[in-house]
Amino acid sequence: MKNVLHVGGSAPSTYIGAMKHSRKSRLRFILGDQLSRDIASLRDANPAIDIVFLAEVAEETAYVPHHPKKIAFLFSAMRHFAEDLRAEGFTVDYVKLDDRQNTGSLGGELARAVKRHAVATVITSAPGEFRVLDDMQHWEKMCGVPVEIRDDTRFICGRQAFRTWAGGRRGLRMEFFYRDMRRRTGLLMEDGEPAGGRWNFDAENRKRLPAGIRLPPVPRFEPDAITRAVLALVAARFAGHFGRLDDFALPVTAADAAHALDDFIANRLPAFGDWQDAMAADEPHLFHSLISTSLNCGLLDPLDACRRAEAAWRAGAAPLNAVEGFIRQILGWREFVRGIYWLRMPEYGTRNGLAATRRLPEFYWTGETRMACLRQVITQTQASAHAHHIQRLMVTGNFALLAGLDPDAVDEWYMIVFADAYEWVELPNTRGMALHADHGEVGSKPYAASGAYINRMSNYCGGCHYDVADATGPRACPFNALYWDFIARHEKRFEANPRMSMPVRGWRKMPAAKQTALRARAAWLLEQLNREDASL
Ligand code: FAD
Ligand code: DLZ
Ligand code: SF4
């Protein structure tokens, strides 16, 4: 297996029931986010005796009503993947969503395919979501043949390896996991030490975007005939879902995704670090890579992306703060959240550490709010099914945290709106990093911030109805009072957290009259949010 480092040994393949290998007729079932030529279930595949199977099914489009761009992206990528395998000589059985016999479920379609081809065995790879793994336990009974579930080896740290790393540790901190992964992969290491003498360049990666800076264009991949057919299907079937389908230009093949990564490395990676945390009105991409959609369905390989970025640094084409910042996101955060997900599910998905219960305001769906920052992020997401990390964390996530929105509703929103959303990566980011609902497992402190942070990192506030410098007046920025109210509500919980002691002390030192005014303004804002027609 190329590229994959299964630190501490990978989990063995799981066999449901007895294996009765027939040298003929094995069905290789590839799920929609398993579109990698080196996926475990295609290892040892032989075009002479194996049939590859993919299915578009209603259940997967509906367990949450995904953004239409996500469905179109995935169906198009699946259909292109099938064509590539056919070109290699494989027999590929591909069931389309509008196939009249389609049962609508992965298990149902697999059972039909097993019957159709009279296969003796099914080989698949472990899914990315607990929900689907649960479902897979029934597949053998449904199909009447052995189903082999192979470990998904596309991650840099295998599930078992993460469990070994986590075993016996009191707290699981991304930073220590990341350093371990750097040592184990050798990425950005020199003679056993981190390149540049430091593990972390975050302090240099928090610049505000200067006015007038030239932003490199992002490559567009115009729809071909396969994508156009998918777009017509999705337009007809999913018009009621959140988000717009027009202007589809995502890469849908491994070759196009590789081109997109090359373009990022050549044109945006050098400045990625400096403006990693910046936000700008009407500029959704800045210097970000936009590779998550391709990475998460298998069109790109994570370790390969890291190695290509490292090569740019070694060639002098990108500075260390940028390359370290980029590699940290993939080798560190992406692998860490996936490890946490499989270590803690299914219990993780029920955590609500801050006892948040407020309903999600309607403007998360419409973008109709006078708060310029939220309006920007939500309308951009409607259009592109994408927002960059600081927008997700410090705008929509921060507001949800401060306003005490129900984690189930917030999780669902994040799963619906982003093209790169799969539960293994969405859940720890939302429930953990953004909402701090996981008892501090993903982040040691809540990412709570007032309007001052958004003003420092963006130019949103200049065009806002609200005044970011005011906290209590009728047009005061809602983030300000909600921030202090959040600290006050959770004062007892946070006083013992060394990373939260400063705001807690700040709250306690505040004159009583100011505290009262802030809490009154927050109470009014929260009352607005409780209304059916919440408008802020
Ligand atoms: P870049 O900024 O260019 O970063 C490079 C890559 O690093 C990304 O493509 C991604 O694969 C990885 N990465 C960066 N940050 C994270 C992170 N926190 N966790 C995991 N991987 C990371 N990412 C998803 O892929 N799917 C999700 O459903 C998702 N939901 C999120 C929800 C919230 C509340 C937050 C705060 C973050 C979420 N992220 C999610 C992480 C991150 O926002 C996206 O990966 C990133 O914005 C994708 O854009 P990009 O490819 O341009 O990333
Ligand atoms: C997200 C998605 C959608 C919308 N549709 C399909 C589909 O029709 N067929 C399929 O095999 N996979 C789909 N997926 C991706 C699955 O939801 C994904 O494989 C699981 O969430 C496991 O990670
Ligand atoms: Fe957002 Fe407040 Fe700034 Fe308006 S003033 S853009 S609500 S942070």
Side-chain angles (χ1 to χ4, degrees), residues 459-514:
N459 59 359
Y460 294 152
C461 302
C464 187
H465 165 84
Y466 294 104
D467 178 1
V468 71
D470 188 9
T472 54
R475 284 178 79 151
C477 166
F479 281 87
N480 293 338
L482 289 177
Y483 171 76
W484 286 115
D485 192 65
F486 172 79
I487 301 294
R489 289 200 312 270
H490 301 291
E491 188 184 346
K492 281 269 162 262
R493 187 187 306 268
F494 293 147
E495 68 185 355
N497 181 335
R499 300 190 65 198
M500 289 301 283
S501 58
M502 215 158 79
V504 170
R505 276 204 311 274
W507 172 251
R508 287 178 176 162
K509 276 201 230 136
M510 210 178 268
K514 192 165 176 200

Side-chain angles (χ1 to χ4, degrees), residues 64 348-351 360 406-417 421 423 426-432 435:
V64 295
Y348 191 92
T350 64
R351 292 189 193 177
L360 194 82
D406 177 354
D408 289 345
V410 181
D411 269 339
E412 192 188 29
W413 186 81
Y414 277 90
M415 272 303 297
I416 289 171
V417 306
E423 197 182 69
E426 175 278 332
L427 193 66
N429 270 298
T430 303
R431 205 166 274 254
L435 299 183

